[in-house]
C-alpha cells in the first residue's frame, strides 16, 4: 500500500473501519460456533475455522466482483468505485445474519445473485441489502425446512440458555454474529471513531425500544426478566448498530433519521416481545429503508 493511501482515499478508510468493527463479532462467533463446538466433539477443527475464514473470503471475493463489474462491465478505468465500495462490508454482514449451520451451497449463491441484481437497482431505490438478504434467506430456508439458528452443538442439547447475563455475552441461540449484545456494543464503540457513522440511529432505536418494552412490562404483558431475555436473545442490538445504519438506505436529514429510528425501535419492541418474531426487525429496517427518501422530505414540515 502506497504511503498516504489511506489519507488520500478517505472513503476506503471509513469502510476499513466498518470491517474492523466486525472483528470482535467474528472472533466471538468463531469461539461460540467453532471452538466450543469443536471441543464438544461435534465439529472437526478444519470446519470450526469457517467462521473466521469465510468472512475473509467474502471480503476478498467482493472486491474481486466489484473490480470485474466496474472495469469489465461498466468500462470504468477509475478504481475509486471499487476502493470506496461498501459491498464487502455489507456482504460480511449478510453472512453474519445466517444461522450457524450455514448452508453455503444455498446462502452464498443467493448472496451472489443479490449482488448482481442490486447493481441494476441501487441507483433507483434505497434498498438495505442486508435486511433484504436476511428476509430472502429466511424464506428460502423455511421453504426447504432448513432454517435453524442452532449451531452443531446446540442442536444436540435439549435445553437452551435463558439467563440474561449469559445471553448478554452471546451464549444464546441465534445467527452466526448476532447473539452477543456485548460485542455489538464493542463494535459500536469502534464505529464512533468514524465521523460519518450515523451514531444517533442505534441510540434512538434502543431508547424507543426500551420505552415500549417498559410499557409492556408495566402493563403486565411481559416480565422484566422476560424483557431482558427477549432483548438479548433477538439480535436487536446487532441489527440497530450494523444493519439499520447502512448509509445507502438511511435518511440523511435529522428529522428523517429520528423518525426512522423511532419506528425501528417501537415496531421491533412489538415484534420481539409480543409477536415473538425476530425477523420483524429486518422487515422493519427493509421497509423503512425503501421509504427513507420520503422521510427526508419531512424536514420541509418539521425541520
Amino acid at each position: 500500500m502506497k504511503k498516504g493511501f489511506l489519507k488520500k482515499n478517505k472513503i476506503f478508510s471509513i469502510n476499513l473501519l466498518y470491517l474492523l468493527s466486525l472483528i470482535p463479532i467474528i472472533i466471538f462467533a468463531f469461539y461460540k460456533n467453532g471452538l466450543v463446538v469443536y471441543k464438544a466433539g461435534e465439529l472437526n477443527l478444519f470446519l470450526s475455522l469457517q467462521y473466521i475464514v469465510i468472512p475473509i473470503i467474502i471480503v476478498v471475493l467482493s472486491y474481486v466482483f466489484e473490480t470485474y463489474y466496474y472495469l469489465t462491465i461498466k468500462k470504468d478505468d477509475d478504481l475509486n468505485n471499487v476502493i470506496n465500495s461498501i459491498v464487502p462490508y455489507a456482504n460480511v454482514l449478510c453472512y453474519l445474519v445466517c444461522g450457524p449451520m450455514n448452508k453455503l451451497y444455498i446462502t452464498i449463491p443467493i448472496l451472489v445473485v443479490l449482488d448482481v441484481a442490486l447493481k441494476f437497482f441501487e441507483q433507483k431505490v434505497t434498498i438495505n441489502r442486508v435486511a433484504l438478504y436476511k428476509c430472502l434467506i429466511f424464506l428460502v430456508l423455511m421453504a426447504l425446512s432448513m432454517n435453524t439458528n442452532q449451531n452443531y452443538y446446540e442442536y444436540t442439547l435439549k435445553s437452551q440458555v435463558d439467563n440474561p447475563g449469559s445471553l448478554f455475552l452471546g451464549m444464546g441461540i441465534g445467527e452466526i454474529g448476532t447473539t452477543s449484545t456485548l460485542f455489538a456494543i464493542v463494535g459500536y464503540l469502534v464505529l464512533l471513531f468514524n465521523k460519518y457513522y450515523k451514531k444517533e440511529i442505534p441510540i434512538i432505536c434502543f431508547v424507543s425500544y426500551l420505552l415500549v418494552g417498559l410499557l409492556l412490562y408495566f402493563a403486565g404483558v411481559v416480565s422484566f426478566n422476560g424483557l431482558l431475555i427477549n432483548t438479548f436473545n433477538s439480535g436487536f442490538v446487532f441489527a440497530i448498530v450494523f444493519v439499520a445504519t447502512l448509509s445507502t438506505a438511511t435518511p440523511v436529514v435529522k428529522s428523517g433519521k429520528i423518525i426512522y429510528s423511532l419506528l425501528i425501535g417501537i415496531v421491533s419492541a412489538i415484534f420481539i416481545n409480543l409477536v415473538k418474531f425476530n425477523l420483524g426487525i429486518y422487515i422493519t429496517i427493509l421497509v423503512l429503508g425503501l421509504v427513507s427518501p420520503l422521510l427526508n422530505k419531512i424536514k420541509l414540515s418539521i425541520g
Side-chain angles (χ1 to χ4, degrees), residues 72-86:
T72 306
I73 299 178
K74 296 286 288 185
K75 306 295 183 182
D76 185 357
D77 294 331
D78 188 354
L79 288 176
N80 281 336
N81 285 324
V82 175
I83 295 172
N84 298 331
S85 176
I86 194 68

Side-chain angles (χ1 to χ4, degrees), residues 80-200:
N80 281 336
N81 285 324
V82 175
I83 295 172
N84 298 331
S85 176
I86 194 68
V87 171
Y89 168 70
N91 282 347
V92 174
L93 287 177
C94 288
Y95 171 73
L96 293 175
V97 300
C98 292
M101 291 196 289
N102 186 27
K103 309 299 181 183
L104 291 174
Y105 58 90
I106 296 175
T107 58
I108 296 300
I110 292 178
L111 182 58
V112 173
V113 171
L114 185 62
D115 272 355
V116 174
L118 287 180
K119 289 300 182 185
F120 297 96
F121 296 102
E122 60 186 356
Q123 299 300 324
K124 300 176 182 178
V125 291
T126 53
I127 298 179
N128 188 307
R129 63 169 62 227
V130 181
L132 176 59
Y133 177 79
K134 175 61 178 176
C135 293
L136 287 175
I137 206 67
F138 176 86
L139 291 174
V140 171
L141 293 180
M142 280 292 291
L144 297 173
S145 299
M146 299 170 67
N147 191 52
T148 177
N149 281 333
Q150 296 173 312
N151 64 34
Y152 291 92
Y153 177 50
E154 293 164 342
Y155 187 74
T156 67
L157 302 178
K158 295 182 178 180
S159 61
Q160 64 183 61
V161 175
D162 59 1
N163 176 272
S166 297
L167 292 175
F168 177 79
L169 294 175
M171 300 311 296
I173 293 174
E175 295 89 347
I176 293 171
T178 69
T179 60
S180 178
T181 297
L182 172 62
F183 288 106
I185 293 173
V186 171
Y188 177 75
L189 295 176
V190 172
L191 288 170
L192 290 180
F193 289 94
N194 174 7
K195 65 179 181 180
Y196 296 104
Y197 175 68
K198 297 176 181 178
K199 56 183 178 294
E200 66 272 45

Side-chain angles (χ1 to χ4, degrees), residues 28-43 48 151 153-154 171:
F28 180 76
F30 167 60
Y31 165 75
K32 176 180 181 289
N33 301 305
L35 285 182
V36 171
V37 180
Y38 164 69
K39 290 180 180 179
E42 300 294 335
L43 203 63
S48 72
N151 64 34
Y153 177 50
E154 293 164 342
M171 300 311 296

Side-chain angles (χ1 to χ4, degrees), residues 50 69 99 107 113 126 135 198 247 255 257 267 269 273:
Q50 65 180 289
Y69 174 75
T107 58
V113 171
T126 53
C135 293
K198 297 176 181 178
S247 58
S255 55
K257 285 188 285 186
V267 177
N273 295 289

